[in-house]
Amino acid sequence: MAQQAQSLRTRLYDNPEGRFVHDVILDSCRQHGAKIAMVDTSCTPARRISYAAYGELVERAARGLVAAGVRPGEMIGIYLPNCWEFGVAYHAATLAGAVPTTMNPTYREREVRYQLDTADTVALISDGALLTGIDLSGLPALRNVYTIRNPGPSGSERWESLFEPNLSVRLPKPQLDSREALATLPFSSGTTGLPKGVMLSHFNLVANVFQTLTPGEFGAISDPDVLLCFLPLYHIYGLTVGLNLTLMRGCTVVLMPRFDCERSLETIVQESVTVTLCVPPTLLAYCQAAEQGKFPRQHHLRWMKSGAAPLAPELARRFTQSTGIPIRQGYGMTEASPVTHMGFLLPELYKPDSVGAPVAQTECRIVDEKENDVAPGEIGELVMRGPQFMLGYWKSPDASAAVLRDGWYWSGDIVRVDDSGQYYVVDRRKEMMKYKGFSIAPAEVESVLLEHPGVRDCGVVSRVDSAGEEIPCAFVVLREGEVASQQTESRLQQFVADRLTHYKMPREIYFVQTLPRTASGKILRRELRKLL
């Protein structure tokens, strides 16, 4: 049975080559017609959109974008929380031949401008409430700003203007094949430095959906499923698994703008949810609710998917013991669209402490520091290749060459594999930290702190708090005349909070005389961690 389950992952059940994301979505809309595609709980009452209606909205918005002058290959920013408009905007942009670059709705002005400018974005779809206090002037490529529910700044247009009849407008034919045409440009922090645009093609995204939908596997997602998605759609996990996979498969996706434990449990019951996407902190909240007797006894949940950050095995066992619901852990990264590994639900293969086996057509190697393959059971760096891996980083050939070598993607993650072919992540990329599933690059936080006139030098590392989260902690060398105090710490924290999204702000700041560095000047973060 184990061999049979593993063999299911050696092929795709459909051939994604030559297919574009919007084509597969629109095919599903025509096939499922009257079925509910999406439930948006951010609306009051919740808005329910059928597959037929969703397809019509996508086509009308795509014609509206073309009529507004959007040309094939141009970038469209989507700066929204989870809502039906996000999905329509994303699929309409690709149908219009454009490339959506998705943005974290908690971003501050600095981060918004950086992504819009770096991606040469010509249009932005957002909401007036999110744009309050954000200066969009001086961005050379930006021509149009559309707002969905609340009026935006002067010069912006209402989202509804895209839906005006434009039947005479012809949608462009693809100028590139699906392997070369970009389907999205999410930004990832990577391991160091400022976020980089990850170039994912239509082939990458469609292939990854088919890879994740392993045919015939026990527990595989099927069209009767109702999937709850409170994970952000701007993140590749939410975009691929929450939005594209669900709609391509003909399921119903129930959207929540953010995680709220009590409300999500109510939604699970009200909408007869069968599958939920989680990250470890949300699973912890569910586990605590179950142990307090607050988890609903009457529900339709078959399993939960955990990803984006390592899952403590004990947490998975506690949750399943309290609820009877199995946890399916997965592994991946933005550069892989994102899924590379998925856990099994078959009892003889169920290992919640493992990230599972490679999904279809994903080859893996584990290598030592000399790039030689290690013996089975030994640890080493995970190196992979498959149809889901990115074309490279946007305008960053050196960074691309560093991780894409001879057709293989070098993950930087340290893993081992057991005798059944299931993988275990031993250590992650050395400099990265994860907070509630979100990546934080120390170099980005350091670059902001160094802009403060009172900071001469700084280094950022993580500390695990009582909730099991990695929180950023900064070691700061002050300039002469500055005084180390609680007030100085608060000022520096606010300085970062005003420029970066909230989870990147250092929770603790330690004032030191010097930072430990190598002869080449690189911060010795392991030495800083010893001081925590």
Side-chain angles (χ1 to χ4, degrees):
M1 179 66 75
Q3 186 176 6
Q4 179 184 7
Q6 293 274 41
S7 69
L8 287 170
R9 298 195 175 181
T10 64
R11 69 188 192 280
L12 299 180
Y13 76 88
D14 198 356
N15 179 14
E17 191 166 2
R19 306 193 73 186
F20 289 76
V21 170
H22 49 264
D23 290 334
V24 187
I25 294 293
L26 293 176
D27 284 349
S28 185
C29 289
R30 287 186 283 270
Q31 179 182 352
H32 297 285
K35 183 178 180 181
I36 296 298
M38 184 176 291
V39 179
D40 183 355
T41 64
S42 70
C43 301
T44 306
R47 178 160 181 173
R48 300 174 186 275
I49 302 175
S50 70
Y51 271 90
Y54 188 84
E56 181 181 357
L57 288 167
V58 168
E59 292 188 13
R60 288 175 63 186
R63 288 193 175 90
L65 290 170
V66 173
V70 172
R71 295 184 293 273
E74 291 187 322
M75 296 283 172
I76 295 180
I78 303 178
Y79 179 46
L80 289 170
N82 289 6
C83 58
W84 70 267
E85 294 96 335
F86 186 111
V88 170
Y90 177 82
H91 294 124
T94 66
L95 181 58
V99 182
T101 182
T102 56
M103 306 167 67
N104 185 337
T106 69
Y107 271 177
R108 306 295 190 188
E109 179 182 301
R110 176 194 187 97
E111 296 158 306
V112 170
R113 289 184 62 90
Y114 171 79
Q115 184 163 337
L116 293 177
D117 189 37
T118 304
D120 301 320
T121 308
V122 302
L124 176 64
I125 299 173
S126 186
D127 183 75
L130 289 176
L131 296 177
T132 301
I134 292 182
D135 179 12
L136 297 175
S137 64
L139 294 168
L142 189 63
R143 301 193 300 262
N144 299 92
V145 177
Y146 300 95
T147 56
I148 63 167
R149 300 186 185 182
N150 298 288
S154 176
S156 61
E157 304 173 60
R158 295 305 301 269
W159 154 260
E160 289 80 5
S161 67
L162 295 174
F163 296 89
E164 295 175 359
N166 287 296
L167 298 179
S168 62
V169 173
R170 300 185 64 179
L171 295 172
K173 293 183 178 180
Q175 298 178 332
L176 301 170
D177 68 31
S178 67
R179 288 181 178 270
E180 298 176 326
L182 296 186
T184 189
L185 188 75
F187 274 58
S188 171
S189 294
T191 56
T192 59
L194 292 171
K196 297 180 288 292
V198 179
M199 297 190 291
L200 297 174
S201 70
H202 284 266
F203 177 72
N204 291 151
L205 295 192
V206 175
N208 201 226
V209 166
F210 290 157
Q211 289 174 299
T212 306
L213 289 172
T214 305
E217 184 167 303
F218 176 71
I221 292 178
S222 59
D223 56 355
D225 275 313
V226 178
L227 186 142
L228 176 62
C229 183
F230 42 73
L231 300 185
L233 296 180
Y234 79 83
H235 191 281
I236 193 65
Y237 180 12
L239 181 69
T240 294
V241 184
L243 183 67
N244 286 334
L245 181 151
T246 308
L247 295 182
M248 289 180 188
R249 192 65 182 89
C251 308
T252 297
V253 57
V254 180
L255 295 177
M256 292 182 65
R258 67 190 64 83
F259 177 67
D260 178 299
C261 187
E262 182 177 355
R263 189 177 177 195
S264 68
L265 292 176
E266 293 172 354
T267 302
I268 285 170
V269 174
Q270 293 167 356
E271 301 294 339
S272 298
V273 170
T274 59
V275 178
T276 300
L277 304 181
C278 289
V279 292
T282 61
L283 191 60
L284 176 60
Y286 281 154
C287 186
Q288 292 171 340
E291 292 170 346
Q292 296 167 7
K294 297 178 181 179
F295 200 92
R297 295 184 179 181
Q298 302 298 321
H299 61 76
H300 295 82
L301 282 169
R302 298 193 296 121
W303 51 275
M304 288 190 180
K305 164 77 168 60
S306 180
L311 175 66
E314 183 57 30
L315 175 57
R317 295 189 185 97
R318 278 174 54 197
F319 176 79
T320 301
Q321 185 176 11
S322 299
T323 64
I325 302 168
I327 300 299
R328 194 175 196 180
Q329 192 174 180
Y331 169 79
M333 61 283 300
T334 305
E335 291 85 347
S337 302
V339 185
T340 64
H341 293 68
M342 282 279 287
F344 292 100
L345 291 176
L346 285 168
E348 62 268 33
L349 289 174
Y350 181 62
K351 299 179 179 180
D353 53 336
S354 165
V355 296
V359 296
Q361 297 188 2
T362 301
E363 299 178 66
C364 296
R365 296 171 57 206
I366 303 177
V367 302
D368 60 22
E369 293 182 354
K370 296 182 179 179
E371 301 186 3
N372 297 316
D373 293 325
V374 303
E378 294 185 1
I379 66 170
E381 181 176 356
L382 178 61
V383 181
M384 299 172 284
R385 67 181 175 187
Q388 72 272 48
F389 285 94
M390 67 172 181
L391 303 183
Y393 293 117
W394 177 256
K395 297 181 181 179
S396 301
D398 291 343
S400 301
V403 297
L404 293 173
R405 293 182 250 161
D406 299 322
W408 293 86
Y409 174 77
W410 293 69
S411 72
D413 289 347
I414 308 303
V415 306
R416 65 177 177 86
V417 61
D418 66 18
D419 54 7
S420 70
Q422 298 204 53
Y423 285 69
Y424 302 78
V425 178
V426 178
D427 195 7
R428 296 201 320 278
R429 306 177 186 198
K430 295 179 177 62
E431 293 191 1
M432 285 300 294
M433 58 189 80
K434 287 261 187 165
Y435 179 76
K436 296 189 175 180
F438 297 107
S439 297
I440 304 174
E444 183 182 16
V445 183
E446 289 163 358
S447 69
V448 173
L449 281 169
L450 287 170
E451 292 177 9
H452 192 282
V455 175
R456 180 162 62 86
D457 199 3
C458 67
V460 174
V461 295
S462 66
R463 179 180 70 77
V464 178
D465 67 8
S466 59
E469 294 292 346
E470 287 183 296
I471 58 172
C473 302
F475 288 83
V476 171
V477 179
L478 293 172
R479 292 189 182 276
E480 188 175 350
E482 294 288 332
V483 178
S485 66
Q486 182 65 50
Q487 290 75 17
T488 305
E489 179 179 4
S490 298
R491 285 199 301 271
L492 292 177
Q493 289 174 322
Q494 189 61 49
F495 186 82
V496 176
D498 289 342
R499 290 159 177 79
L500 298 176
T501 191
H502 65 92
Y503 58 80
K504 298 177 185 177
M505 183 191 76
R507 305 302 193 280
E508 299 168 359
I509 294 181
Y510 300 90
F511 297 105
V512 294
Q513 295 299 313
T514 59
L515 293 181
R517 293 183 180 272
T518 64
S520 63
K522 187 176 181 180
I523 298 173
L524 289 168
R525 299 187 195 280
R526 65 179 180 273
E527 296 299 323
L528 290 179
R529 292 190 188 97
K530 293 178 181 178
L531 301 176
L532 291 174

